[in-house]
Amino acid sequence: THAFVKRYGSPPEKYRMYASGCVSPRPDLSRLRDIYQWTGGIVMQPRIETRPRFFVAGYALTTTNVGGENNRAIPAFWLEYIQSGKGGRLKQLPGLVSSAEYGLCMPTDPDADTFTYVIGMQTEDPDAARAAGLYVAEVPEATYAIFTTPPAEREAFSEAIQSAWRYVYQEWFPQSGYQFAQGCADYEYYGEDAGCAKPVCQIFIPVVRA
């Protein structure tokens, strides 16, 4: 595990969650930068920023990356969340910071095959959320590499996000000088304008210097 983190910037369980099934060679970032600039790809250099602890109230799913199960379970979880109107009910919760949605991967246990994925909204009143029967995720303070996906048509939005995750783990981490910060949460942030014709997503990866 230590050797894998040293070379690829993330522990194997995180790599399996977001990258392909094969370990990629070290990339030529100068060539990739040219490709992404010409094809309108994701932002090559992320913004590095420290964020304080915060809380997200919502709904939780326990899943695993074994056999790619998370790649099936999480989209199905989002579909059920949308179709059941859970987002509308969340917006009625007291103490919300905004109605922007998060997709959180909470810190994983390296000895377990499962992890918790949370769909929710930021709250300043976690007790009220718990009283309402919601799952409350405590996101610890961390320094993040923040990537932004390019504007995409609604039907291509999911693929744009998945491509960004693959880029981060297969291409950015190995040459970045950063490693994934253990014990922290990584997440997707969908702004309040996520319902527009060409939405974007911000991806927050907790990092430390390698």
Side-chain angles (χ1 to χ4, degrees):
T1 298
H2 286 299
F4 193 97
V5 170
K6 185 176 180 180
R7 177 161 184 177
Y8 293 101
S10 68
E13 66 269 16
K14 280 292 182 183
Y15 191 96
R16 285 195 298 268
M17 285 171 63
Y18 297 119
S20 66
C22 61
V23 175
S24 61
R26 286 184 177 273
D28 178 354
L29 280 192
S30 61
R31 179 182 64 82
L32 287 168
R33 184 176 295 109
D34 292 338
I35 292 172
Y36 278 99
Q37 285 176 344
W38 281 106
T39 58
I42 70 171
V43 174
M44 293 298 295
Q45 296 299 326
R47 184 170 81 256
I48 305 297
E49 191 173 299
T50 299
R51 295 288 180 94
R53 181 189 70 159
F54 66 97
F55 296 91
V56 170
Y59 305 90
L61 168 73
T62 299
T63 185
T64 177
N65 54 41
V66 176
E69 173 61 26
N70 57 307
N71 294 325
R72 297 182 291 273
I74 291 175
F77 187 44
W78 269 103
L79 182 63
E80 189 274 333
Y81 168 84
I82 293 168
Q83 292 182 339
S84 65
K86 289 179 177 177
R89 292 196 289 275
L90 272 183
K91 292 177 182 178
Q92 307 305 313
L93 190 69
L96 283 185
V97 173
S98 77
S99 60
E101 292 166 317
Y102 289 77
L104 289 166
C105 282
M106 297 306 294
T108 59
D109 179 352
D111 297 323
D113 289 332
T114 60
F115 66 95
T116 300
Y117 182 83
V118 181
I119 299 174
M121 299 174 186
Q122 186 176 350
T123 180
E124 293 181 333
D125 192 348
D127 290 337
R130 293 188 185 99
L134 296 169
Y135 183 93
V136 176
E138 180 178 343
V139 183
E141 178 178 324
T143 297
Y144 295 93
I146 307 170
F147 295 83
T148 302
T149 62
E153 301 288 348
R154 300 297 306 179
E155 60 271 17
F157 188 39
S158 178
E159 176 54 33
I161 296 171
Q162 292 173 15
S163 294
W165 279 111
R166 287 193 295 270
Y167 164 75
V168 170
Y169 279 90
Q170 293 183 330
E171 299 168 2
W172 182 76
F173 258 132
Q175 295 286 343
S176 67
Y178 287 94
Q179 293 179 358
F180 188 92
Q182 297 294 332
C184 297
D186 55 283
Y187 58 91
E188 297 168 358
Y189 173 78
Y190 309 89
E192 293 183 278
D193 59 349
C196 68
K198 291 187 176 182
V200 300
C201 171
Q202 288 186 308
I203 296 175
F204 288 71
I205 314 287
V207 295
V208 293
R209 282 288 184 182

